[in-house]
Amino acid sequence: MRVVVADDQALVREGIVTVLSLAEGIEVVGQAADGAEAVRVAHETEPDLILMDLRMPVCDGVAATRQVVAELPGTRVLVLTTFGDDASIKHALEAGASGYLTKDASGAEVVASARAAVAGGTPLDARIAGRVVAGLPDAQPRSVRDRFPALTAREAEVAELMGRGRTNPEIAAELVLGVSTVKSHVNAIFAKLGVADRRQAIARLTAAG
């Protein structure tokens, strides 16, 4: 896995690089101190993943994420930031981020989330996953089924687990279903939400009020 780390704080950036470099199968191929540099380094190195801070000079992480997702479809973005407020989460996911972590995550969580994002999952900090699935704008969270009545009860269960970053095999194990059955439910969810992939599904769930 080839990774770029973008963070405007040198000490934090170097710490993340160290954590990733110690993990088997991960190579840090570039670093960036602002969003514009992150986009440039991404074009130069074509990484599998960018670990992206949000609040950076020149070009913030949301704008950089949107540009990377549009111009480098083979590169996924995992946000790693200090900020866990609803607006930051919503804007990052709508920009195309594949996952969202806050900086109090452990090194093991960062590595596991990086692997999950590259594998096609949507890793979310455990403290914010429930809020994302419930719909961030709601003061009184409603269930996935309530907000998306077109989903069957089983599809709603799958959608909720998807929102928590679970992969198809993990969902299958938790719901005691076959992986092919889960994949069918996931495709049905995409169709009913009007989205093309997991990232867009999470953004759709987040934006729903």
Side-chain angles (χ1 to χ4, degrees):
M1 183 197 311
R2 304 172 73 253
V3 181
V4 166
V5 177
D7 195 298
D8 63 329
Q9 295 180 294
L11 187 60
V12 172
R13 188 173 66 248
E14 291 166 5
I16 297 168
V17 169
T18 298
V19 167
L20 294 173
S21 297
L22 292 172
E24 184 179 355
I26 296 180
E27 177 187 6
V28 177
V29 296
Q31 299 183 42
D34 60 64
E37 186 178 13
V39 174
R40 178 180 60 77
V41 172
H43 275 281
E44 292 174 352
T45 60
E46 296 186 359
D48 299 300
L49 181 74
I50 300 179
L51 273 172
M52 185 82 75
D53 190 17
L54 288 186
R55 308 289 171 87
M56 294 186 291
V58 184
C59 170
D60 68 24
V62 171
T65 295
R66 186 176 293 111
Q67 191 171 346
V68 168
V69 169
E71 297 173 3
L72 295 166
T75 298
R76 299 177 73 83
V77 177
L78 174 61
V79 169
L80 181 60
T81 181
T82 303
F83 304 95
D85 59 284
D86 290 356
S88 295
I89 299 164
K90 182 174 183 291
H91 293 157
L93 293 176
E94 288 181 340
S98 295
Y100 197 106
L101 295 179
T102 54
K103 286 181 179 175
D104 54 0
S106 68
E109 288 174 323
V110 172
V111 170
S113 295
R115 296 190 197 282
V118 171
T122 308
L124 298 171
D125 187 295
R127 289 168 289 278
I128 67 173
R131 286 156 51 207
V132 171
V133 174
L136 296 176
D138 287 344
Q140 298 297 324
R142 294 179 291 153
S143 70
V144 171
R145 185 82 185 279
D146 287 341
R147 289 180 294 111
F148 298 98
L151 298 179
T152 66
R154 180 62 84 185
E155 288 165 357
E157 289 179 318
V158 173
E160 185 170 352
L161 292 174
M162 259 184 12
R164 294 176 183 174
R166 304 288 200 277
T167 63
N168 286 357
E170 289 170 337
I171 294 172
E174 188 157 342
L175 298 181
V176 194
L177 298 170
V179 174
S180 61
T181 300
V182 171
K183 185 175 181 180
S184 295
H185 286 315
V186 168
N187 289 335
I189 291 165
F190 290 170
K192 291 178 180 180
L193 297 187
V195 300
D197 56 31
R198 263 178 160 77
R199 183 188 68 243
Q200 292 178 9
I202 294 300
R204 178 80 174 85
L205 291 165
T206 303

